[in-house]
Amino acid sequence: MPTTIPALPCADLDQTIDFWRNLGFTVSYTQRKPNPYAVINAHDYCLHFFGLKHLPPAENYSTCLIIVAEVEQLHQQFAERLKASLGKVPAQGFPRISRMKPSQSRFTLTDNAGNSIIFIKQGDEDESAAQAYLNPDQSPLQRALAVAARLRDFKNDDQAAAKTLDNALARYTDEPVFEYAQALLARLELAQALEQSDQVERLNMQLSNLALSPEQRQQLGL
């Protein structure tokens, strides 16, 4: 059967090898001359890397999709190893890893060379999540939530997701209180990720002032 193998660039092959080794991958092949090249392996897939001198990570737009059986446990494993090797779980810069929310179907791991590896859960969940914003039966606020989730989870654009929710929260103040609380919670998560401390305080106050029942607060995790 035909096989597709992505080859991803890196300015420093040794640093890239060390990065992936720290995440638990094994190295099955390395070559220094005539061209730097390496192959790293997981249980059922591999990635190939080639040396490209003077390539800044910020100018590297290489991307690879990997379909896996599950994503939440894998994300946790990577986050723990990143924290062990770097002292933190980086959300910005190089390397970094996107956030993982319950029932999320994908996440992006960007290595030190700027390559973005997108891990996607096998099955229909990812496609359903990507197309949720097209559901015609949604209320305006529900659609804004779906658009924001698409921007956050599929495009890694927290700023655009936050702007989408800000506009919806300002416009749809008469929507059901539970839906409004869901949108506030989604915006609060983004404010925390974007380190918007003033917004975090304001959003927490708004949530505390909503007329939610005890059952609704429990359902929202408040």
Side-chain angles (χ1 to χ4, degrees):
M1 294 294 292
T3 300
T4 300
I5 300 176
L8 305 170
C10 58
D12 190 313
L13 187 66
D14 289 327
Q15 288 183 2
T16 297
I17 288 174
D18 287 343
F19 171 79
W20 289 98
R21 271 184 174 151
N22 286 336
L23 288 179
F25 289 76
T26 59
V27 180
S28 60
Y29 177 81
T30 56
Q31 171 185 296
R32 305 298 174 181
K33 294 181 180 180
N35 302 303
Y37 202 91
V39 181
I40 62 111
N41 295 82
H43 295 297
D44 51 4
Y45 61 88
C46 65
L47 292 170
H48 290 221
F49 294 91
F50 65 92
L52 186 59
K53 291 182 178 180
H54 313 303
L55 174 67
E59 296 179 12
N60 183 2
Y61 302 105
S62 299
T63 302
C64 175
L65 309 181
I66 299 179
I67 310 301
V68 293
E70 60 81 29
V71 288
E72 292 189 33
Q73 185 177 346
L74 186 61
H75 183 279
Q76 182 180 358
Q77 174 187 318
F78 287 155
E80 289 173 354
R81 288 182 175 270
L82 284 167
K83 188 172 183 179
S85 61
L86 302 175
K88 63 177 181 179
V89 181
Q92 298 178 342
F94 303 95
R96 65 178 181 269
I97 189 169
S98 63
R99 300 184 310 288
M100 191 77 204
K101 296 167 66 66
S103 75
Q104 194 171 310
S105 59
R106 63 168 60 194
F107 68 89
T108 302
L109 174 64
T110 303
D111 70 10
N112 61 317
N115 298 298
S116 292
I117 314 301
I118 305 175
F119 293 87
I120 302 172
K121 185 175 181 179
Q122 189 174 25
D124 298 331
E125 290 180 39
D126 190 72
E127 182 64 20
S128 296
Q131 302 301 321
Y133 75 105
L134 296 175
N135 183 351
D137 297 327
Q138 295 176 110
S139 69
L141 194 52
Q142 288 172 333
R143 185 176 187 278
L145 270 167
V147 170
R150 180 180 172 87
L151 290 167
R152 182 193 64 216
D153 301 337
F154 290 81
K155 297 182 179 296
N156 295 324
D157 193 339
D158 286 352
Q159 292 284 358
K163 185 176 181 180
T164 296
L165 289 176
D166 284 339
N167 290 337
L169 288 165
R171 185 175 181 181
Y172 304 120
T173 56
D174 294 331
E175 293 294 313
V177 65
F178 188 78
E179 286 184 18
Y180 200 81
Q182 288 178 308
L184 282 174
L185 271 175
R187 182 61 180 91
L188 175 60
E189 192 269 341
L190 286 165
Q192 291 167 337
L194 293 167
E195 299 181 352
Q196 299 171 328
S197 56
D198 56 333
Q199 292 277 43
V200 170
E201 184 177 352
R202 179 183 63 81
L203 291 162
N204 272 320
M205 185 173 295
Q206 281 186 270
L207 279 167
S208 65
N209 290 334
L210 286 180
L212 293 164
S213 69
E215 292 77 13
Q216 287 175 322
R217 290 190 176 276
Q218 183 178 12
Q219 189 175 347
L220 292 167
L222 298 176

